[in-house]
Amino acid sequence: MVPIPTFEVERWMDEYEMTPGVLNTAETCAASVSLDELAALAGNKSNSNPVDTSMSLVYGAIRGTADLRAKVASLLGQSSLGNNNLLGADDVLITQGAIAANFQVLFTLLRPGDHVISVYPTYQQLYCVPESIGAEVSLWKLQEHNGFVPDISELEGLIKPNTKMIIINNPNNPTGVTIPGKVLKKIASISRARNLVLFADEVYRPLYHDLFQEDADLPPSAVALDYDNVVVTGSMSKAYAMAGIRIGWVASKNKEIIGALASSRDYTTISVSRIDDQIANYALSDAIRLPLLKRNVELARKNLDLLGDFVDRYGHILSWVKPNAGTTAFIKIAHNGVPVDEETFCKDLISKTKVFFVPGRRCFGDGQDFAGFIRVGYVCHTEVLEEALALLGPYLEKTFP
């Protein structure tokens, strides 16, 4: 394997997020919930105890319990709210978070000499792990002028004879932009024509901000497209506000892919915690899942309005493509038309105000791309965002008069 580079966004988070008094507007999960809050969301419709405390703490179901895998399968069909029969429990493997699912997919399906196309910017794992395996990676660059939606015409030009996999991230981290359904279908069509694996990191799905609007035009999960060589990953962390239970999944209609992933995982985690599996199964029950998603979508919409008003107020310094999904926004800071040194900005900001952001070039670029960009995690508790923006405004006025 090729030496893998530092995972910059995770190092950055680890270095600063525990700063005493930090206002964490860098976190990418919807504001986390407790077990008591889950039970309250269910009201009288659910058992208030999500864990069977009498169970033996053995390894448990190696692929995840059938109940949990069936619930995940029901989430991944044509409707973002689930209730479909396109997938079954045997098409799903439960993992320790989406990060483990992503690694397992890349480690299992790629070989040295393979060629991979990855959207960019995205989570660094998705292109650095293939490089560490010895695969060649081409970056499918998302353009601000195109609203950070992938350009299909550029994809055609990136494909090579040894291309093995196309990697997408939907909704996207860090931009918060959704790949529309019609674009997804074109990507699947191109993949099908060349027998490529289409791998979609869907860790922010289904946190679409118009999820509960009747006229919403929501993209399907990629695994629901008319192509079997699709692999998707997701987790309880982002849209479901439960990062602490470390439950994720990988799903595919291709039985050989799921079998290969289950086999290779024997060398890593074997299974997930029985307790975590039970809590996830509880949270995805009919009594809790929709109220939990409504809570998180409402929080995202409310906080995005606050952030949008702030960006408008400081429009002479700030610009963005407004997110329509997920928990993150990618905001550009430029003074007199010149992008700021965003890493210096972020360090100075946290030292003087305790407001915490992520610098774009260090954590999502190659040193040149995304100058002046910061990632903001705005689906924290509203009072945290309000306090952060109240401090950020005077800081901007003083720093960029």
Side-chain angles (χ1 to χ4, degrees), residues 175-216:
T175 68
V177 171
T178 298
I179 302 175
K182 62 181 181 181
V183 177
L184 274 178
K185 291 176 182 178
K186 290 178 181 177
I187 297 171
S189 178
I190 290 170
S191 301
R192 185 191 308 108
R194 295 163 176 81
N195 196 31
L196 307 178
V197 174
L198 174 56
F199 170 31
D201 177 338
E202 297 181 343
V203 71
Y204 292 91
R205 185 181 188 276
L207 196 62
Y208 302 113
H209 298 166
D210 54 356
L211 180 62
F212 292 98
Q213 296 181 15
E214 291 185 4
D215 59 346

Side-chain angles (χ1 to χ4, degrees), residues 112-169:
D114 287 341
H115 176 243
V116 172
I117 299 168
S118 174
V119 295
Y120 170 87
T122 190
Y123 199 49
Q124 184 182 337
Q125 180 193 34
L126 297 179
Y127 51 89
C128 280
V129 170
E131 288 177 340
S132 77
I133 292 169
E136 175 190 1
V137 177
S138 294
L139 298 177
W140 186 9
K141 296 188 176 183
L142 308 178
Q143 304 295 336
E144 188 177 4
H145 65 77
N146 199 38
F148 290 124
V149 174
D151 186 331
I152 293 295
S153 63
E154 292 183 7
L155 175 61
E156 294 276 9
L158 293 172
I159 294 174
K160 300 182 178 183
N162 62 328
T163 300
K164 176 72 173 292
M165 178 182 289
I166 297 172
I167 301 173
I168 59 175
N169 176 204

Side-chain angles (χ1 to χ4, degrees), residues 34-297:
S34 67
L35 296 182
D36 288 343
E37 288 173 307
L38 286 181
L41 287 170
N44 296 322
K45 300 177 184 177
S46 176
N47 182 344
S48 62
N49 185 1
V51 178
D52 176 8
T53 56
S54 68
M55 69 178 177
S56 298
L57 297 179
V58 297
Y59 281 106
I62 299 302
R63 295 194 180 198
T65 59
D67 282 349
L68 179 57
R69 288 186 287 119
K71 284 185 174 67
V72 171
S74 75
L75 302 177
L76 299 176
Q78 293 177 346
S79 167
S80 288
L81 299 179
N83 304 318
N84 64 85
N85 296 311
L86 292 173
L87 295 174
D90 290 343
D91 301 315
V92 176
L93 181 68
I94 303 301
T95 63
Q96 292 183 333
I99 195 168
N102 289 347
F103 186 89
Q104 208 68 44
V105 169
L106 299 169
F107 178 79
T108 304
L109 301 184
L110 295 177
R111 298 289 181 270
D114 287 341
H115 176 243
V116 172
I117 299 168
S118 174
V119 295
Y120 170 87
T122 190
Y123 199 49
Q124 184 182 337
Q125 180 193 34
L126 297 179
Y127 51 89
C128 280
V129 170
E131 288 177 340
S132 77
I133 292 169
E136 175 190 1
V137 177
S138 294
L139 298 177
W140 186 9
K141 296 188 176 183
L142 308 178
Q143 304 295 336
E144 188 177 4
H145 65 77
N146 199 38
F148 290 124
V149 174
D151 186 331
I152 293 295
S153 63
E154 292 183 7
L155 175 61
E156 294 276 9
L158 293 172
I159 294 174
K160 300 182 178 183
N162 62 328
T163 300
K164 176 72 173 292
M165 178 182 289
I166 297 172
I167 301 173
I168 59 175
N169 176 204
N170 195 32
N172 179 261
N173 171 21
T175 68
V177 171
T178 298
I179 302 175
K182 62 181 181 181
V183 177
L184 274 178
K185 291 176 182 178
K186 290 178 181 177
I187 297 171
S189 178
I190 290 170
S191 301
R192 185 191 308 108
R194 295 163 176 81
N195 196 31
L196 307 178
V197 174
L198 174 56
F199 170 31
D201 177 338
E202 297 181 343
V203 71
Y204 292 91
R205 185 181 188 276
L207 196 62
Y208 302 113
H209 298 166
D210 54 356
L211 180 62
F212 292 98
Q213 296 181 15
E214 291 185 4
D215 59 346
D217 183 16
L218 303 174
S221 168
V223 79
L225 299 171
D226 186 23
Y227 182 47
D228 284 354
N229 288 344
V230 176
V231 185
V232 303
T233 56
S235 85
M236 298 299 295
S237 299
K238 312 299 184 182
Y240 296 98
M242 299 176 65
I245 64 170
R246 308 308 303 135
I247 288 290
W249 51 79
V250 56
S252 178
K253 290 180 285 190
N254 186 318
K255 305 294 186 185
E256 292 184 2
I257 287 178
I258 290 295
L261 293 172
S263 180
S264 70
R265 201 185 60 163
D266 291 341
Y267 286 95
T268 56
T269 58
I270 302 178
S271 66
V272 301
S273 158
R274 292 193 75 189
I275 294 173
D276 292 351
D277 188 301
Q278 284 199 358
I279 295 172
N281 192 45
Y282 176 76
L284 294 180
S285 65
D286 290 340
I288 297 176
R289 179 172 59 90
L290 289 183
L292 178 58
L293 283 174
K294 285 181 179 178
R295 177 257 192 193
N296 294 341
V297 168

Side-chain angles (χ1 to χ4, degrees), residues 356-387:
F356 181 37
F357 295 139
V358 173
R361 267 184 299 189
R362 173 170 170 176
C363 296
F364 294 97
D366 62 3
Q368 299 300 321
D369 295 319
F370 316 122
F373 277 90
I374 59 169
R375 188 188 72 180
V376 180
Y378 59 89
V379 193
C380 48
H381 291 290
T382 300
E383 56 269 24
V384 174
L385 181 63
E386 288 175 329
E387 185 177 355

